Structures are given as C-alpha cells and as structure tokens.
Amino acid sequence: MNFEKNENQHMIAQMVRDFAEKEILPYRNKWDNEEYFPVDTMKKMGELGLLGIYIPEEYGGSGFSYFEYATALMELGKVCGGVGLSVAAHNSLCTGHIYYHGSEEQKRKYLPKLASGEWIGAWGLTEPNTGSDAMRMKCTAVRDGDEWVINGAKNWITHGLSGDVAVVLIRTGELLDSNGITAFIIEKGTPGFSAVKIKDKFGVRASETAELIFENVRVPHANVIGEVGQGFKQAMQILDGGRISIAALSCGVARGAYEASVKYAKEREQFGQSIGKFQAIAFKLADMATEVEAAELLTFQAAYRKNNKLGMTKEGAFAKYFASEVAVKCGNEAVQIMGGYGYTKEYPAEKYLRDAKLMTIGEGTSEIQKVVISRELLK
Ligand code: COS
C-alpha cells in the first residue's frame, strides 16, 4: 500500500476544499440551525463529479477509486458532517446499489442522473422496529402479475423526502429467511409512496432524514435489482462499502475538530501563556493527532482492499468502528479544550461532536461493527 496520496487525490482534496470554503462554510451554521438540506449545493457537487465519484465514466460518473472517494469525504467532513453524510449516502448506498447489483438497463437509466446530481438518491433498509436486526424487516412486497405491491414503512432514510429515486429492501419471502428480501427501485411520485421528514436531530442536521411510507405501492417487476430474494446479501455488501465512506467522513470530522483545537490552543492564553503550552492540553492534541492518523490509515487500508476487490467486510468495519469513535472523542476534546466557548455555537467544536455521534450509529452501530469483526475473526 502506498502511503502517499496520488495526483487525483491531491486534485480532489483541493477542489473540495475550495468548494467547501465558498459554498458550505458560510452557510453551515444556518443549515444546522434550520435543519435545512441544501439540494442546490448537492446539485453543484454533482456538477463537480462528487455524486458519482467511483461510477465509471460510461455511466456518467467520475471513474475514480475509493481512494479519491474517501479523500473527498475527509475534506467534506472537516467542514460539515451533514453535507458529507448526504454525499456518502448518495454515492455508497442508492447509486452504489444500482451500480454493483443493477442490470445494464437499470444502470443506463439511473446512474447518469444520479452521478450528475440531476437526481438525488435514497436507500431504505431500516424500519421503525428493525435497526441493527435488519433481517427482521416487516415491509412486504407481494407479486401481482408483472408488478409487486408494497406495503409498510422505512425509517431514518437519508434523502427520503427530497430523493428522486430510492432503492428499498423489502420482504418478499418468509420472516428471517436470508433469501427472502428483495431490492426494488422506487421513483418519487409513484402512487402510494410518501415520506415524512424526521425533525430535531442531534447532529448532521443539514442532511435530510425521513420516514418512507408505502401504501399499496405498485412497482413493475423490471424495478427489481438482481434476483428476487438476494436483497439482504446485496445490502450487506453495499454496507461493507458504505462503512468505508462513513469511516472517511469520521476522519474528516475528527481532523476538523483537531485542527480547530490546535488553532484555539495556540491563540487562547491563560495563566500568562497560550494554553497549548500546558501539558494537559498538549497531550490531548497529541492523542487526537495520533488517533486521527490511525483512523485514516485504517480507512485507506479498507479502500485499498475495496479497490483491489479483496474481501473487506472486516477491514471496513475496523475503519468505521475506530474512526467514528475517534471522531466522537476528538469532538468531545475540542469542546473541552475550548471550554465555555466550545460549548457555544460560536465555535465549531460542539457541531463536530454532534455530527460525529451519528457516525457511531448510521450504517451499523459501533456494537454491530464489533459483531461483524468478531464473526469474521471466528469464521
Ligand atoms: N456480504 C455478503 N453476504 C453477507 C454479508 C456480507 N458482508 N454479511 C452477511 N451476509 C450473508 C450471510 O452469509 C448469510 O447468508 P446465508 O443465510 O446464505 O448463510 C446472510 O447474509 C445472513 O447473514 P447473518 O446470518 O449474519 O444475518 P444476521 O441477521 O445475523 O445479521 C448483521 C447480520 C447483524 C451483521 C446485519 O443484520 C447488520 O449488518 N445489521 C446492521 C444493519 C445496519 O448497518 N443498518 C444501518 C442501515 S443504513 S443507515
């Protein structure tokens, strides 16, 4: 594995930094306060190629690897975990599911729209009563000739309301049958398909989250992704890759919190000197820096394995588990270092902490990552 960033990674990092400084940073507090999902900003990121980063050019994507993808999310995470989460969910989940498991026809129909940002993508696995225990889902699809009739609900769905298309995992077989779940493509506006925005989130408030409701929604059989019954396994593979993106975003949030802490520790004086000169603060910074570097290495290791089609279930979980916990720790330490100021919205520390917390929950909690890792170890 090469520890140097490649030319494309440098180029993407610079591009995202420039974009974020102009188009995200000035508005991030407003979006956070108002829980506003900036669809226009998403579209602009689509024009820059950030919404189909690893999708091949023949389907309208940028044709990069997971190295460039992780790099872009690391840069976004430094500025806004909410916007970063939307980019990660759009790329890894909806777009990724169609790219990795869709038919040629489905890819040609949906990927160019998703990769360009013309359409925003959503992905639905979780339900009100099934989070970690995803297999126990109750939302059902029953075949009726050339169509499927879908009933039920999905919860905590990123872009559930603004998404133009959703990939949704739905039960088509017996409860707890791992071959009894199927992935469907469902377009916004399909009769019976509605969504309700989930409000008052703790963090990632610029990323839209919604509940999806299906009331006798009729979907053509042509919208089934892959084979009927293979949806759960497809979803697990999609989450393996998605977890790299959450790890990368966590690294960005952690590094943002760390860099803000260094800046503050140099500027803030107490007892006649900058607080960074006190070992109590300096050692916090040393711990943060060490752990951010380690999290980035784990993330790029998982990206390397993904790029090279090596198994990465365990490595993706290592990266997601470690990096998300590091992000929470760095956000927490940033608040502590900044003291009273860190506890206000005038400084970015509290937002880093709030955004970081989602990273230990979304796309599988830290506890689920330990389930995944330990199962792989004991295979
Ligand atoms: N890749 C491919 N197949 C996989 C897989 C993976 N990473 N993980 C599991 N599978 C397969 C298994 O091999 C098994 O196949 P068989 O039944 O043919 O043997 C099947 O899927 C069921 O797997 P398993 O028995 O491990 O399922 P469990 O119900 O025990 O659940 C966990 C496994 C807990 C790991 C899974 O439910 C999970 O990841 N939960 C968290 C969900 C999540 O991340 N939600 C966030 C939603 S996105 S915001």
Side-chain angles (χ1 to χ4, degrees):
M1 186 173 143
N2 189 348
F3 290 96
E4 292 296 320
K5 283 195 175 65
N6 66 39
E7 227 174 88
N8 287 333
Q9 283 175 283
H10 282 298
M11 184 270 290
I12 289 232
Q14 191 58 51
M15 184 184 82
V16 175
R17 269 200 292 273
D18 292 345
F19 179 82
E21 201 183 324
K22 247 183 39 210
E23 304 280 351
I24 300 174
L25 191 59
Y27 314 106
R28 75 170 169 193
N29 285 357
K30 185 175 160 58
W31 295 342
D32 183 63
N33 286 338
E34 296 173 6
E35 285 191 280
Y36 175 75
F37 172 50
V39 176
D40 289 351
T41 309
M42 287 290 282
K43 304 257 176 209
K44 287 181 190 166
M45 287 190 284
E47 285 165 20
L48 291 179
L50 294 174
L51 296 189
I53 303 183
Y54 61 82
I55 301 300
E57 289 174 14
E58 60 171 311
Y59 299 117
S62 300
F64 288 126
S65 75
Y66 262 64
F67 287 149
E68 288 83 5
Y69 180 29
T71 302
L73 289 172
M74 285 176 185
E75 291 300 330
L76 283 172
K78 283 201 265 182
V79 180
C80 181
V83 172
L85 181 70
S86 278
V87 171
H90 176 95
N91 273 282
S92 296
L93 303 180
C94 178
T95 310
H97 203 133
I98 294 173
Y99 172 55
Y100 287 114
H101 299 288
S103 66
E104 192 55 33
E105 204 183 329
Q106 290 167 341
K107 289 188 211 183
R108 299 234 168 257
K109 180 167 179 194
Y110 294 104
L111 293 180
K113 286 193 169 76
L114 288 163
S116 65
E118 184 186 339
W119 279 18
I120 305 288
W123 190 77
L125 173 71
T126 301
E127 298 186 356
N129 293 315
T130 59
S132 295
D133 188 5
M135 178 124 53
R136 206 173 286 267
M137 65 176 63
K138 297 273 168 47
C139 193
T140 52
V142 177
R143 190 147 185 182
D144 181 17
D146 245 8
E147 291 182 328
W148 291 83
V149 184
I150 301 170
N151 279 290
K154 293 280 165 186
N155 213 11
W156 310 118
I157 308 307
T158 304
H159 313 147
L161 202 63
S162 299
D164 299 281
V165 62
V167 170
V168 187
L169 284 305
I170 300 182
R171 172 158 304 292
T172 48
E174 294 302 309
L175 189 71
L176 297 184
D177 176 1
S178 65
N179 296 313
I181 291 170
T182 301
F184 292 87
I185 299 173
I186 308 179
E187 293 183 21
K188 190 176 186 167
T190 306
F193 175 28
S194 60
V196 181
K197 181 168 169 154
I198 294 172
K199 292 189 185 147
D200 294 332
K201 285 186 305 184
F202 181 58
V204 291
R205 289 163 58 93
S207 181
E208 179 190 274
T209 313
E211 180 173 5
L212 308 184
I213 298 156
F214 303 95
E215 289 168 314
N216 290 319
V217 175
R218 287 188 165 266
V219 173
H221 181 71
N223 285 24
V224 166
I225 301 182
E227 299 290 315
V228 170
Q230 289 306 297
F232 187 80
K233 288 168 194 171
Q234 293 171 2
M236 291 297 109
Q237 285 168 22
I238 290 303
L239 284 174
D240 283 347
R243 286 167 184 161
I244 302 177
S245 67
I246 301 301
L249 189 55
S250 302
C251 291
V253 173
R255 190 168 278 286
Y258 158 74
E259 287 176 357
S261 301
V262 169
K263 183 169 181 286
Y264 187 88
K266 284 182 179 167
E267 288 168 3
R268 171 79 169 167
E269 291 197 352
Q270 290 292 280
F271 303 101
Q273 60 179 13
S274 60
I275 61 169
K277 294 213 168 104
F278 292 103
Q279 205 175 56
I281 302 298
F283 276 18
K284 279 187 196 299
L285 297 175
D287 281 342
M288 290 160 87
T290 307
E291 291 178 25
V292 173
E293 295 275 328
E296 288 175 356
L297 288 174
L298 279 178
T299 303
F300 282 121
Q301 169 183 257
Y304 170 84
R305 294 187 68 87
K306 176 86 180 153
N307 288 343
N308 289 285
K309 298 191 170 57
L310 302 167
M312 38 67 60
T313 299
K314 182 177 72 206
E315 288 76 8
F318 279 160
K320 201 268 188 190
Y321 167 45
F322 187 76
S324 62
E325 294 292 341
V326 165
V328 171
K329 186 171 165 189
C330 287
N332 192 37
E333 290 293 47
V335 173
Q336 190 68 20
I337 290 167
M338 296 185 199
Y341 293 109
Y343 205 64
T344 70
K345 291 191 175 184
E346 195 186 330
Y347 283 76
E350 60 84 36
K351 181 173 183 306
Y352 284 123
L353 176 58
R354 286 187 290 109
D355 287 352
K357 195 63 202 126
L358 184 274
M359 311 301 155
T360 69
I361 298 170
E363 299 201 30
T365 60
S366 289
E367 291 73 15
I368 285 296
Q369 304 316 308
K370 288 195 260 191
V371 169
V372 171
I373 294 165
S374 55
R375 282 187 185 180
E376 289 288 314
L377 298 178
L378 296 168
K379 249 182 185 169

